[in-house]
Every structure is written in structure tokens, then in C-alpha cells.
Amino acid sequence: MAFTLDQLNTAALPDAGRMLDGIYEHTPWIAAEALKARPFKSLAHLKHALVAALDQGGVDAHLALIRAHPELAGKAMVAKTLTAESTHEQGRAGLTECTPEEFARIQQLNAGYNAKFGFPFILAVRGPRGTGLGKARIIDTFARRLGHHPDFERAEALRQIHRIAEIRLADRFGAEPTLGNDVWDWHEKLARHSDPGFAEAGQLTVTYLTDAHRACAQRIGQTMHDAGFDEVHVDAVGNVVGRYKADPAVPDPRTLMTGSHYDTVRNGGKYDGRLGIFVPIACVRELARARRRLPFDFEVIGFAEEEGQRYKATFLGSGALIGDFRAEWLDQQDADGITMRQAMRHAGLCVDDIPKLRRDPARYLGFIEVHIEQGPVLNELNLPLGVVTSINGSVRYLGEYAGQASHAGTTPMDRRRDAACAAAELALVLEQRAARDGDSVATMGLLQVPGGSINVVPGRCAFSLDLRATTDTQRDALAADVLARAREIAERRGVACTLEETMRASAAPSAPAWQRRWEAAVESTGLPVFRMPSGAGHDAMKLHEVMPQAMLFVRGENSGISHNPLESTTAEDMQLAVQALQHLLEGVARDLHPLP
């Protein structure tokens, strides 16, 4: 029989302790300490109290908890002395049915891990969806984490223990994250579509207007239809636009816009952008099921392009809505020589209709966006949600050094005009100059020697620059210093330097009123409010140019890694994001039409 939160809140302390027995392996003091925070407003509040209790325990207590856990597929499993919870979890992951080869591999990993770290490998084997990771993924994760620093791995083991506790609490309290599971499943279905060359390798890549991109648009549109949207269409740049119309009794309603992008970087993750499409779709579906209307139109947009992967332009989808679509972009060519204009025609889009997409800001209440954090902060703090205070300003360049290709064996070191060495020196300049600010970042993500050979001094080297800072002034000072050094390096080394600015985005502070709405939404879940800037760019920064905006971040697993196949989040965190957005929508509705 499942317990209820009311029962936990009102039970005598010994009885409450028994309700939480086994949530943390052989460590009842964590529950005893957390119970001092009663009454709990929500299961999320209880989880946070348990995390806070363990945080206060110190390193020795942390190590004792880690060592209280059994090895995966270890002696305790063979001897059948695991706790009921561990037996259930390892069984659902398939570890009780290992082949001899799999068992031998896990035992080898166990031995190496214990030798390096001095404690057992801990993994929430039921995974982010709660249904089990599978043996191959467990073994891959095991091998990857062997490369961690001991301090980092100890912290990761604790995070996994908290995830195990979260799943056990859901079982104990009958709290299935049904909305989060649906959002999770929608991501999985969308991730089946990937560009040629990547799909065959099991990698996710969806670039602008490819067949995979168009298939994604169709699937998102169908999901919107199924959820109960009143209007769904693909617009002239490929955005998937769904509208849930206001209560007919409201005269001349305004619109609240939300959404994010569905294109990806090459070999990227499943949740970047897409989380901000599916979370609001879940909210609309629940409104439609309840036959409930809001006093405003709710517009959810899957933006067709944000990443700038196929063409040298970014934010095509959101930019078109504010009138920022440049005609010269249409003549850009991709790596296969296909112009953007040709790609749009092939996709059945009408280029002449792009100017018509521009929205009238006076008709909008604002823009809100849910997004996976893409960083380690929330993960390290064990917080599911964070409220964004601002989006950093950024500028990007494509550059090239051109020197002289020459024989690697016969060209003396002091006679070389090595383009690759010039770029390498500039990469170190980026690292040093950005670090000087403390919160600026600079990246040379592309570095190529066209037609290079092992025995030829590089005559050309192409590279990219991505510069970001918390304010436009700080960003511009960083860019000015980097460009000046790039040209100084060229002159000193006797090479030519060309630089082309490909993107510039202003810093976008959150609108105070909308940030407060997100803060209230987070508080409604029982979680503390954590405020943080966004180092990544988002569609919200384009809409910021014409209307108020604010964002909610959702914790990422695996140290919050993004633009990477390891990008992940949990169904429980998705559930909290849906609940937070539902609370925000209800708050806006009350403000527009307060109850008498």
C-alpha cells in the first residue's frame, strides 16, 4: 500500500521514520534528519529535505552511505543478500540475467573502480525514465566514469544515490510522473529522425530543412493536433505553430507565446530545445482534457532553426517572427552547394511569405521558454529547476589564417608561415583572455586544415570563434581584444588573417515581472528558488528584442552536459517543469481575470 504525504506529515516520528526506511541504503539517519523539516508541501520538498540532510553530513558520512550500497551484479546479488529495493532495481535493469561475458566484464569494472576510488560504483540502474537502463548502457556508463577524478566521482555517486532515492520514493508514495513520462516518450519518438550519415551511426543530427527535419516538424504538428490545439500549421520558414485559443467570452484576447527549437547540433542530445516544445504541449493537452480555456491565446512554436549548423545563420525561426530575416541568407550554400532558397522550395515553403510572419508585439503578453540547463550548476546543487535572470550576449566569427604550404622536412622552423600554429596560438589567447573576466567564455569550436597532409606545413587553417559575456559591453571588450590579438599574431607570423562575423546577439535580461512568475511557479512545487544566468543563447533572446521574456531551466544529468549524446534529464524533472508551467499559466489567467 502506498503512503500519502499527509500520513508522513502527521505520523509520530518513529512511524514516519519507518515510512522512509530503505529509501537510503542502510542509512536511517538521513530520513530522521530530513523529517525535522515537516510538514512537507510536496514530494519534491521531501526529496530536497533529504538531499539537504545528507549535505550536512560531511565527507565521512557521504563515503559511509556510498559504501553501504552493493556492487552492481556483485557478490551480494549472487548470494541473494541484496535489499528488496536493490534486488528489484538490478532485476529491472537486466543485471540478474547477465551472460557469463557480461558478468565477467562487470566484475572487471568493479575491481578497477574499487581500486581507483575505494568505494563501489553507484548507478541508478532504473534510469531517467524509471524503466531500466539495460546492460549495455550500464557497462558503457561504468567504463566512462572510471575516467573521473575521485572527488568528482564521489559527488556523482551521491547524485546517483539521490536519484535512486527519488525512484524509491515514487514507488513508496505511488507518485508516478505521468506527465513527465509522456514528455519523455515524445522526445524518444522525435529522436528517431536523424540526418543521413548520422542515423546509421545511431547519432542524432537534425539540420535545417533536411528530410529528418521535415519529419520532425510533421511529428510535432501531429502531437499538437492530438493534444487538442485549435490551430496547427508549418509557416514559411518551417516553424511548427500551434495555438490554443482563449475562452470565447474574452473579447479581443492577447497571446502568450512559448516554444523552442527542434533542430540539433551534429551528434547532439535529445532535449536541447525540444523540451521547451513538449512541456507546453503537455500543458495544453491537460487544459483540453479538462475542457478549460484561458483568458488569452496560448501559442506554442517549434522553431525550425536555432543552431546555425547547415547555413551560416542562426535563429532563423524566431528571428522571422520579429522581422529579422535577411534576404541575403537565401543565397547561402550548405556543404553540398544547396542554397537556402533551394532548400526552402524543396520543403514546399514560400519564401515570399516570410515577411508576413512578423508578429505585432502589442498583441502579445510576452514570451516564456522552458529549456534544459546545458550546464552543471543545477546538477551539482541537486536542484531540478532554476529561474533564469538573463541570457548572455554573444558574437561568432568564422576565420582563416593563410600562410605558405611547404615541405615539413626541408622548411626550417624559423622560415615557416604555419597557418595552423597561428590558429593554435589564438586558441590559447581565447582561453587566457576569457578567464580574465571570470564569467566570460570563448571557444574555438572549429579548427580545420583544408587539404592538410602529415608531411606538409599547413598553408591554410580555418577556425571559428564563439565569444560570450554577461553584458554587451563585456562581450564587445572581449571581442575587441581577441580580434586585435588575432591580427597581431598574423602580422608577427607572416600569415594573412580574414574574419567574418556570422552572428551577434545582445544580452537579454529577463523581464522582472515574468521572472517573478517563474519564481512563484518553482515555489509552488515545494522547491527553493535558485536564480542563475544563461551562458547559452536561446530563442528567447530574439523575442526579447520586441517583447518581455523569461526562462525556466531544467536540470540536466551527466553533469548537465549538452550538445552531446549524453545529454539527459529525468521524467520526474520534466514533470516538475510541466507543473511549474501550469502554475504560471494559472497565475497569468488570475491576473488578467481576477476572481470576484
Side-chain angles (χ1 to χ4, degrees), residues 371 373-374 390-392 468 533-538 541 551 553:
H371 207 284
E373 181 200 343
Q374 300 182 276
S390 64
I391 305 170
N392 287 358
R468 309 185 191 213
S534 171
H538 302 286
M541 66 196 306
M551 294 183 67
F553 272 169

Side-chain angles (χ1 to χ4, degrees), residues 153-302:
E153 184 57 22
R154 185 178 72 248
E156 179 61 23
L158 293 175
R159 284 189 285 270
Q160 293 297 322
I161 288 171
H162 288 312
R163 173 60 182 155
I164 292 168
E166 179 172 59
I167 293 171
R168 291 177 179 179
L169 280 169
D171 292 342
R172 192 76 54 90
F173 285 82
E176 183 74 12
T178 52
L179 295 175
N181 287 343
D182 288 342
V183 173
W184 170 274
D185 293 341
W186 291 337
H187 281 89
E188 289 297 303
K189 290 176 182 177
L190 196 65
R192 294 173 187 170
H193 305 292
S194 189
D195 288 353
F198 296 92
E200 296 82 350
Q203 298 174 352
L204 178 60
T205 300
V206 177
T207 57
Y208 187 51
L209 296 183
T210 60
D211 288 347
H213 185 271
R214 292 159 61 200
C216 286
Q218 190 278 332
R219 185 174 288 276
I220 292 168
Q222 188 60 54
T223 305
M224 288 178 169
H225 275 295
D226 294 343
F229 281 76
D230 300 296
E231 299 172 359
V232 180
H233 72 279
V234 176
D235 71 16
V237 291
N239 295 328
V240 185
V241 183
R243 184 175 287 263
Y244 189 68
K245 303 201 78 169
D247 186 329
V250 177
D252 196 24
R254 295 170 74 191
T255 299
L256 176 61
M257 185 193 298
T258 189
S260 197
H261 61 98
Y262 63 92
D263 66 319
T264 76
V265 298
R266 292 177 175 85
N267 194 22
K270 300 175 183 177
Y271 307 100
D272 176 12
R274 298 169 175 204
L275 188 65
I277 302 169
F278 288 131
V279 165
I281 288 177
C283 292
V284 168
R285 189 189 64 182
E286 296 309 294
L287 287 166
R289 284 176 171 176
R291 298 187 178 183
R292 181 144 184 279
R293 295 286 172 172
L294 300 167
F296 53 89
D297 280 9
F298 190 41
E299 187 176 39
V300 181
I301 303 180

